[in-house]
């Protein structure tokens, strides 16, 4: 067994954290602008460097009106830049939390999947030997395998080098 994940996340701590995130979502929801994947695809892409670029451009446009194009709606730029500056630290924090939660889910999921496959293969062997109840358990588990029980076991991860 691989045992990549050790310990347990106390359910009360997970519930407490979930409550905090739900409260934060309720606070922010009136100010958020959800977009569909198609809508997001048509937007300009940005990253951390873009946030810094926007802050600099906004600073120059604010300090010197000659730097502003005539068609620029400065009030809208002010509002957008302020929202971006407000959201950037939150985005960084949540992105880090998302990555860490995802990594922990992958790790604990990989360990528990490996253990479940061991149980499955043992039950499969017992079913072939005619052990009472094993066939029903095998059929039930086989039906819920991610690949539907076809094509063998999932690929093992490549060793970290």
């Amino acid at each position: 067994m691989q045992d990549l994940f050790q310990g347990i996340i106390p359910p009360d701590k997970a519930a407490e954290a979930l409550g905090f995130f739900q409260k934060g979502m309720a606070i922010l929801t009136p100010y958020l602008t959800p977009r569909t994947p198609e809508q997001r695809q048509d937007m300009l892409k940005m990253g951390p460097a873009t946030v810094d670029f926007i802050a600099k451009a906004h600073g120059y446009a604010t300090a010197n009106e000659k730097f502003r194009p005539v068609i620029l709606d400065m009030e809208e730029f002010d509002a957008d830049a302020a929202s971006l500056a407000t959201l950037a630290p939150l985005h960084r924090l949540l992105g880090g939390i998302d990555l860490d939660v995802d990594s922990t889910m992958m790790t604990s999921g990989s360990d528990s999947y490996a253990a479940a496959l061991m149980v499955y293969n043992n039950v499969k062997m017992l079913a072939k030997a005619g052990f009472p109840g094993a066939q029903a358990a095998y059929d039930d588990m086989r039906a819920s395998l991610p690949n539907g029980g076809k094509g063998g076991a999932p690929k093992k991860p490549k060793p970290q080098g």
Side-chain angles (χ1 to χ4, degrees), residues 21-156:
F21 290 120
Q22 288 169 331
K23 183 177 180 182
M25 191 64 188
I27 291 168
L28 289 175
T29 294
Y31 309 101
L32 300 178
T33 310
R35 295 285 184 241
T36 66
E38 295 79 19
Q39 291 169 321
R40 292 171 58 93
Q41 188 175 13
D42 293 337
M43 299 173 84
L44 293 173
K45 305 302 179 246
M46 15 179 316
T50 313
V51 174
D52 293 338
F53 172 76
I54 292 167
K56 284 182 182 182
H58 183 261
Y60 284 118
T62 300
N64 189 337
E65 66 181 59
K66 295 282 186 200
F67 290 169
R68 296 181 213 158
V70 178
I71 61 170
L72 178 66
D73 181 342
M74 195 60 194
E75 286 182 23
E76 185 61 31
F77 190 18
D78 288 340
D80 290 343
S83 291
L84 181 62
T86 299
L87 288 172
L90 184 62
H91 185 262
R92 282 190 297 273
L93 174 66
L94 292 175
I97 291 169
D98 180 51
L99 182 62
D100 290 349
V101 168
D102 188 59
S103 295
T104 305
M105 277 190 65
M106 282 180 99
T107 305
S108 63
S110 182
D111 280 357
S112 56
Y113 192 22
L117 287 170
M118 289 171 57
V119 170
Y120 172 77
N121 287 321
N122 192 59
V123 170
K124 180 180 177 180
M125 181 187 67
L126 291 171
K128 284 183 180 180
F131 190 83
Q135 187 63 49
Y138 169 71
D139 292 342
D140 185 41
M141 284 191 284
R142 184 170 188 234
S144 64
L145 263 175
N147 62 5
K150 299 178 182 105
K155 293 180 183 176
K156 291 185 179 182

Side-chain angles (χ1 to χ4, degrees), residues 156-161:
K156 291 185 179 182
K158 293 180 182 176
Q160 302 277 326

